[in-house]
Amino acid sequence: MKTYKVFFIILLTFIIHQKESWAQPDFNVTQLDNPAPGYLIFDWVSAKSFFAVDNYGYSVLNQTPSNGFKTSYFKQLSNGLWAVVSGNKFYLYDENLDLVDSLRPPSQYKLDFHDIIVLKNGNYLLLCTEEIVTDLSKEVEGGFADAILIYNVIVETNSIGTIFWEWNSSDHMKVSDASEGVNLRNKVIDLVHINSLFETEDGNILVSIRHY
């Protein structure tokens, strides 16, 4: 009886191993040189689906949202949820891509899809934008008297919309300090353009600002 049990375990292990070896990756990896753990994420503006693969080319996520909306950004957050942008809202999905929650910015702002993070306290940090009409005719040669400046706003919130803290770049960023790549003679000016957010070990917020 003991011999039979040992043989069965060996046979079962062999079958499982063979089944795994038969599975083919979705992508052919031509070079693998001790990469960092994690996923390669593929998405595109207005895509109808999105997917991620591991370092060996196997899909770990390859689905279309059940409600069929087009996406412009998706990211796996530190709490394990996938954040997907559609319109002016982040939709939050679990590992099975089932919708579990959603986040929207305060009504006076628009959502900026470039980043979203989960803070150590469990709240979410949203990146938003606001438009401020500014007279640049005296500050910039050829500037509009009614130029529309797009500033970033960082908002700490939760899934029920409580606002705990916000930071307005318009209170801190001078037009004259913008990089040379920003055309201040345009009617509508993407002045700040924050690309990413990060919470440091001491609880401060580090931001990457493309246009400064």
Side-chain angles (χ1 to χ4, degrees), residues 101-106 126 155-164:
D101 220 331
S102 63
L103 299 167
R104 66 168 65 246
L126 291 183
V155 177
E156 180 184 354
T157 186
N158 57 17
S159 60
I160 62 175
T162 304
I163 305 301
F164 301 98

Side-chain angles (χ1 to χ4, degrees), residues 20-94:
E20 290 177 348
S21 65
W22 293 333
Q24 296 297 317
D26 300 277
F27 289 83
N28 182 26
V29 179
T30 59
Q31 183 173 342
L32 193 65
D33 187 12
N34 192 31
Y39 304 136
L40 299 173
I41 300 174
F42 297 82
D43 68 350
W44 191 247
V45 175
S46 296
K48 294 183 179 179
S49 63
F50 45 88
F51 62 98
V53 300
D54 62 17
N55 288 323
Y56 304 94
Y58 291 92
S59 290
V60 295
L61 176 67
N62 185 1
Q63 299 187 40
T64 300
S66 57
N67 54 6
F69 59 68
K70 293 183 178 181
T71 69
S72 60
Y73 175 91
F74 85 104
K75 172 184 179 180
Q76 189 173 35
L77 305 176
S78 59
N79 59 6
L81 298 180
W82 290 93
V84 181
V85 170
S86 183
N88 201 40
K89 186 184 292 187
F90 266 111
Y91 293 87
L92 303 179
Y93 292 84
D94 62 16

